[in-house]
Structures are given as structure tokens and as C-alpha cells.
Amino acid sequence: MVWAAMVVMVMSTSSFQKVAIFGSTGSVGLNTIKVLQAQKEQYDVRVLTANSNVGLLAAQAKELDAAYAVIADETKYEELKQALAGTDVTPMAGQEALLEAASMEADWTMAAIVGMAGLAPLMKSIEQGKIVAIANKEPLVAAGPLVMEAARQSGAMLLPVDSEHNAVFQVFEPENKKAVERIILTASGGPFRDATFEEMEKATPEQALAHPNWEMGAKISVDSATMMNKALEVIEAQRLFDLRPSQIEVLVHPQSLVHAMVEYSDGSILAQMGAADMCTPITNALGWPERLKTPGERLDLAKMSHLEFRPVDLERFPSVTLAYECLEEGLHACIALNAANEVAVEAFLSHKIAFLDIYHTVSEILRSAVPERLESLDDIISYDKLIRARAKSAMVENNFQQTGT
Ligand code: NAD
Ligand code: MG
């Protein structure tokens, strides 16, 4: 990231910024709209996108007076067109439309689609060379080298929105990178932080979705329950901050107030703290390099009795170990980890497999993944598809089933 050059560029732009939100109907998307609406600055929301929620997308587009509303599910085009009849919002639909929207001019883009579905539009947004706020971690995990290289080539500024990575970004001194000894990502531990193995074996989607500290979309909530979210975040951090895997550590911090820390050679540990509310990292990314006012929650330290940090129990949460193994193995393993996980989480949420079978599926797929030539976006997308097919067959062959539902 070319901090200094980007600061000059951003400072010199007017306060009337063109904004695009990919995944505007999701949890991060909704918070992004909340943050935008709280600012006094003028934002010209050009593009909003969603997968299939026409009603919400149309309502958002009308409310924000967007220029384009894009629904990824092509079959919903007529419905969207009708919902936007009589407005100035142009309806668009399908994968190509998503890419077209990502190619439109935007000063600030929020990448908040969930999963690998966000990769192709993200790459298009980056090509424009402006500011891209990234919540969508899966493309960084599975195509990190390509994403980072595309940003280097276009000069785009990638601003991490994932709370831990935004926290690192805030306390990471690029000019002192050599003095960075390690970064510590905190983890709430999710709903099963203190659960027994037997309880996790029987865990239902409803229990897995009940996150103690954060309100998030379904996929990331399940990832938090398995702690696969932290595995993805270790890889995400490696991509964003270009560190050795051994410099990235994870600590369980049940209060979710300290989001990440950077330890320097002089022994100083700089931490970022804030309420467990995505409005803070989103506001940080929207305002950068300045600081705006968050419409979200504030942290009242006087009400905190203690802060607790402990190592991850890798016996109960073996997913975290997979991140380090995959970084060691290479890109094919990172793609496989992410793809198998996406498929397994979907199966778990549809009551097809048990909670612990998510890990069983991912680790089985990883055992059979061998290095591949993965240089282009197409290479990565095809390999991702292959792994998804393998993961689906593995779940059927193993006759995984969710019981008691
Ligand atoms: P979500 O499920 O609430 O929303 C996802 C958005 O993506 C929706 O707008 C949906 O319509 C859209 N979408 C889903 N599938 C799509 C597809 N195939 N094509 C096009 N659009 C599609 O998810 P979320 O919780 O907002 O998370 C979004 C991303 O941000 C994820 O990668 C997640 O890991 C990351 N993230 C989320 C949070 C959080 O607090 N929710 C925190 C950190 C990082
Ligand atoms: Mg996070």
C-alpha cells in the first residue's frame, strides 16, 4: 500500500465522493449505509448490489437515490425493474452486470459480498485505482497474491474493514515495518468458546448463529463458531500486511474490545480498542486518512471490570491450525480451505451435516489437495469450483447427517 501518495490524492479530492456498495443488503452493507447516512459530507451513492433481496435493494436504492441497483440473481430482473419503476434508479441483473457496475467510476467502494462470489467484482473495482474498503475476506484468502498485485498495479488503496485487520491497519507503522515483531488478532471465541466437545458435536445452526458479541451474516457467524473465521483472518492478515505466518498470532479475548495489537521490537504493544460494532472500522475506512464520527456504539471503559486474553484451545478449534498449514503449503491449499469451508457451512446451515463435519470436510479436502499452477483469476476460479465439487461429493460419500433437527 502506498500510504503517503494516497493521502495526498485523497486530501485533494472534493468532499463529493462517488460511492459503490457491493453487498449492500448484508450485515456490513447495512452498517455501511448507516455510516454514510450519518456523515455530513456529500456522498453520491452510485451503485448498490445484492444477491436476491429485491425488496431491500430497491428500498435502499430509492432512499439513497442511487444511480444503479444490481441484483446478482438474473431471474429477479423483472421484479427489480418493477420495484424501481418511476424512479431514476437503473435496474441491472446478473453476473456480467455486477462486473459492469464494478467498472463504473467510484471514489470509494465497499466490498461486502460474502464468499468467493465477491472476487471478480473486487478485482474490477481494484482496477480503477481508487479506494476499496474490503470486508469480503474470502477473496483475500483464496486469491490474495492476485488481489494485492492488482492493487499495486492500479495504485488502488485497499483499506481493511474486517475489525481485526482495520485495527492492525490503525496501529501498524509502515515506516517501521522492520521493527514489527508480531501482530496479534483477537478472537471472541464465538458461541462455543466454553462448550465441551460433546456439546459442539450436537450444535444446531440456531446455536451456531447466536454469536455472543457481534451481529453478522450467517456464513461468518458459523465461521466464528468453528473459529474458521480466525483461520481465514490469519491468512487475510498475511496478505494485507505481508508478514511471515509465524508473526501472526491469535488470542481469545472474550470481551471483544481490543480488536488487534502490533508488537514492536522496543517491546511496545499498540492496540486498537472499540465497541464490538462494525460501524467503527467502516467509519475509519470511509474517513481515511481523516477521522469521521461513528454513528455506532462507544466503548465505556469505566464499565469494564477486566480484559482477558488466552491462547486458542486448538484441540476444540483445530481450524485455526489449518491456516498456518495452508500458508506453508501454498495458494492451492488456501483456495481449498476456503472453498471446502464455504460448501460445508452452507450444508450445515441447510441442516445436511453436523457442526463438527464442517471441519471434517475441510480437513479431508485439504489432505487430498496437491499443488497446482494457479496464476490467473480463471485458474483460481476453476480450482475453487473443482474443490467445491469434491467437498460436496465427500459429504455425500461420508454420509454426513445432522441429527436431532
Ligand atoms: P451477509 O450474508 O450479511 O451479506 C452478504 C451480502 O452479499 C448481501 O448483500 C448479499 O446479497 C450479497 N451476496 C451474497 N451472495 C452473493 C452472490 N453470490 N453474488 C452477489 N452478491 C452476493 O454477509 P456479511 O456478514 O455482511 O459479510 C460480508 C463479508 O464481510 C464476508 O466476507 C464476511 O466475512 C466479511 N465480514 C463481515 C463482518 C460482519 O460484521 N458481518 C465482519 C468482518 C468481515
Ligand atoms: Mg473479524
Side-chain angles (χ1 to χ4, degrees):
M1 287 182 233
V2 196
W3 262 263
M6 284 302 293
V7 171
V8 173
M9 197 195 99
V10 173
M11 298 289 234
S12 64
T13 56
S14 75
S15 60
F16 199 75
Q17 289 195 56
K18 292 193 174 79
V19 167
I21 308 173
F22 285 79
S24 64
T25 55
S27 161
V28 173
L30 289 170
N31 276 317
T32 305
I33 291 176
K34 182 173 167 186
V35 168
L36 278 165
Q37 284 178 322
Q39 308 310 322
K40 288 195 194 76
E41 286 84 346
Q42 289 285 309
Y43 290 100
D44 176 11
V45 177
R46 306 284 302 161
V47 170
L48 295 174
T49 86
N51 189 33
S52 59
N53 191 342
V54 168
L56 183 53
L57 177 66
Q60 291 177 331
K62 286 188 217 168
E63 166 85 22
L64 296 164
D65 198 16
Y68 301 92
V70 188
I71 197 87
D73 180 348
E74 223 155 350
T75 65
K76 305 254 171 167
Y77 177 70
E78 277 306 319
E79 205 184 317
L80 180 64
K81 201 171 136 192
Q82 273 174 25
L84 293 171
T87 72
D88 290 338
V89 189
T90 305
M92 293 168 72
Q95 288 307 312
E96 281 305 313
L98 213 54
L99 297 184
E100 203 183 319
S103 309
M104 291 174 188
E105 195 192 342
D107 300 305
W108 192 88
T109 298
M110 167 57 80
I113 290 177
V114 59
M116 275 292 268
L119 173 60
L122 172 68
M123 294 297 280
K124 284 274 178 241
S125 302
I126 290 174
E127 277 171 22
Q128 293 189 46
K130 301 281 180 63
I131 298 182
V132 181
I134 302 195
N136 188 193
K137 64 189 81 182
E138 294 87 355
L140 282 168
V141 171
L146 238 76
V147 171
M148 298 310 288
E149 182 53 30
R152 262 188 295 274
Q153 299 234 344
S154 71
M157 181 67 192
L158 303 184
L159 296 176
V161 171
D162 205 349
S163 58
E164 299 77 3
H165 304 73
N166 180 266
V168 171
F169 178 74
Q170 293 195 45
V171 291
F172 194 98
E173 299 171 0
E175 66 282 11
N176 284 321
K177 188 171 176 205
K178 282 200 182 120
V180 170
E181 292 198 341
R182 59 179 182 145
I183 63 172
I184 300 159
L185 308 177
T186 61
S188 67
F192 305 134
R193 182 180 59 225
D194 301 312
T196 62
F197 197 76
E198 290 68 33
E199 284 164 339
M200 288 203 275
E201 251 181 339
K202 291 189 225 121
T204 63
E206 292 68 30
Q207 290 167 330
L209 289 172
H211 197 283
N213 303 357
W214 297 92
E215 272 175 42
M216 309 181 288
K219 194 256 176 185
I220 185 174
S221 296
V222 175
D223 285 347
S224 298
T226 56
M227 285 195 75
M228 181 61 84
N229 184 44
K230 228 29 73 172
L232 300 177
E233 290 186 353
V234 165
I235 302 174
E236 181 186 10
Q238 194 283 324
R239 308 315 196 199
L240 287 167
F241 303 105
D242 189 24
L243 297 166
R244 293 188 304 281
S246 61
Q247 289 177 289
I248 306 167
E249 289 182 24
V250 177
L251 283 179
V252 171
H253 168 48
Q255 293 80 19
S256 293
L257 308 179
V258 174
H259 302 300
M261 293 169 262
V262 178
E263 181 167 351
Y264 292 90
S265 56
D266 60 8
S268 299
I269 297 179
L270 302 194
Q272 187 267 359
M273 300 172 79
D277 183 337
M278 286 305 287
C279 285
T280 292
I282 295 168
T283 306
N284 178 263
L286 184 66
W288 184 90
E290 294 170 15
R291 287 190 185 264
L292 303 173
K293 198 171 171 63
T294 180
E297 278 174 52
R298 297 294 178 130
L299 191 57
D300 184 352
L301 286 173
K303 287 195 182 138
M304 300 296 147
S305 57
H306 68 292
L307 291 180
E308 193 186 346
F309 298 96
R310 50 173 133 118
V312 179
D313 178 350
L314 297 171
E315 295 273 318
R316 284 185 307 127
F317 297 105
S319 296
V320 178
T321 309
L322 295 179
Y324 296 93
E325 290 172 5
C326 289
L327 280 171
E328 188 70 32
E329 285 280 317
L331 190 60
H332 71 283
C334 297
I335 299 171
L337 173 85
N338 180 66
N341 182 57
E342 279 196 37
V343 168
V345 168
E346 216 177 284
F348 170 68
L349 284 171
S350 325
H351 298 267
K352 289 185 185 140
I353 66 169
F355 181 70
L356 293 180
D357 291 334
I358 301 173
Y359 174 76
H360 296 146
T361 305
V362 174
S363 59
E364 179 178 334
I365 292 300
L366 280 176
R367 276 196 298 276
S368 65
V370 290
E372 299 271 336
R373 215 178 114 104
L374 297 160
E375 285 164 6
S376 67
L377 190 61
D378 286 346
D379 291 345
I380 290 175
I381 292 172
S382 328
Y383 188 60
D384 170 86
K385 279 199 182 127
L386 176 80
I387 294 292
R388 279 167 201 264
R390 273 192 207 161
K392 281 181 191 154
S393 321
M395 289 187 289
V396 173
E397 276 164 30
N398 290 328
N399 196 22
F400 286 154
Q401 279 168 21
Q402 210 171 88
T403 50
T405 53

